[in-house]
Amino acid sequence: MGYCMEMKGSKFFVPAEHTGLIFAMTKGQPYDFQLDSDGNISELEFTGEKLGSDFELFQSIAPYVQDGSYIWMLGEDGSQWRWVFQSGICKEVKAKVEWPDE
């Protein structure tokens, strides 16, 4: 049984020169990539259930992803995190939810 999660949003970009490599590296994974008119990966969609190795997948493609890209996820237990791409590295950043004082 897997861990259910959904993608809440993203800002994701890979230059056209790397799209073939990204498609090859992510084949069979629960992510679909959309190309813009220039052949850049400009969007991604999560199409499945957490594999357990999603973070490792994004670490492997991080050198080809534009700085400032991110993927925002919501887990079945209410946890939220982003996979953030910067300087060829992917980091997992957990959300901190704060309630205002009443």
Side-chain angles (χ1 to χ4, degrees):
M1 184 154 82
Y3 177 79
C4 293
M5 64 182 188
E6 68 177 284
M7 190 171 81
K8 298 301 288 180
S10 69
K11 177 180 149 188
F12 192 81
F13 186 87
V14 175
E17 65 193 73
H18 303 301
T19 57
L21 179 61
I22 297 301
F23 279 113
M25 292 175 74
T26 60
K27 185 175 181 159
Q29 303 297 322
Y31 295 92
D32 287 334
F33 300 96
Q34 304 300 316
L35 301 178
D36 65 16
S37 60
D38 294 324
N40 302 302
I41 296 174
S42 57
E43 294 181 43
L44 81 152
E45 179 183 350
F46 177 63
T47 60
E49 198 170 278
K50 184 170 175 45
L51 297 173
S53 59
D54 299 74
F55 181 55
E56 289 81 9
L57 168 70
F58 291 121
Q59 286 179 310
S60 71
I61 67 170
Y64 311 103
V65 179
Q66 184 178 54
D67 286 357
S69 293
Y70 66 84
I71 304 162
W72 172 25
M73 303 300 285
L74 173 66
E76 68 186 13
D77 58 1
S79 61
Q80 296 184 59
W81 66 93
R82 283 185 175 177
W83 290 308
V84 178
F85 298 85
Q86 192 68 40
S87 302
I89 297 170
C90 179
K91 295 191 307 187
E92 186 171 288
V93 179
K94 296 182 190 241
K96 180 179 177 185
V97 178
E98 293 185 29
W99 296 100
D101 292 335
E102 293 186 35

